[in-house]
Amino acid sequence: MEATAFALRAMLAIDPQNKLVEPVSNSLIKNRRGAQWSNTRDTAIVVLTMNDYLRVSGELAPDLDYEVLVNGHSIRTQTGFRCGRVQPRAS
């Protein structure tokens, strides 16, 4: 796992659009045992690598549209919401 994770980190730094990025990242995820990989070292490097993957892929900041319904009535709708960015409520 460690070698695969380091190879993927290098690929993300050099050529993030490479066609192997997605299958290799999927392989890393599928080879975990429960919530971890084979040992602490593998777990640490895979977590760091997946962080790099999420940052490069843009999956950490998608634009979302949502609507909140309560008893069938819309109480809030927002378009272009960016995850991870809390917007203060107007008073």
Side-chain angles (χ1 to χ4, degrees):
M1 284 294 105
E2 183 181 353
T4 303
F6 276 120
L8 180 56
R9 281 191 94 185
M11 199 178 322
L12 289 167
I14 297 166
D15 183 12
Q17 302 305 317
N18 190 297
K19 65 180 182 176
L20 295 175
V21 167
E22 189 173 334
V24 172
S25 63
N26 288 337
S27 171
L28 286 174
I29 295 299
K30 289 178 183 176
N31 281 303
R32 65 183 176 174
R33 297 181 178 126
Q36 62 193 25
W37 284 263
S38 59
N39 57 51
T40 304
R41 184 180 175 112
D42 282 353
T43 300
I45 188 59
V46 171
V47 168
L48 289 172
T49 301
M50 295 315 297
N51 181 60
D52 290 348
Y53 171 77
L54 291 171
R55 186 176 32 77
V56 167
S57 69
E59 290 186 44
L60 288 177
D63 284 333
L64 302 175
D65 298 339
Y66 73 87
E67 180 177 16
V68 177
L69 300 171
V70 175
N71 295 328
H73 295 91
S74 178
I75 62 168
R76 171 99 180 183
T77 302
Q78 185 168 348
T79 59
F81 177 76
R82 303 274 299 175
C83 290
R85 190 175 66 191
V86 177
Q87 297 174 344
R89 178 178 275 191
S91 301

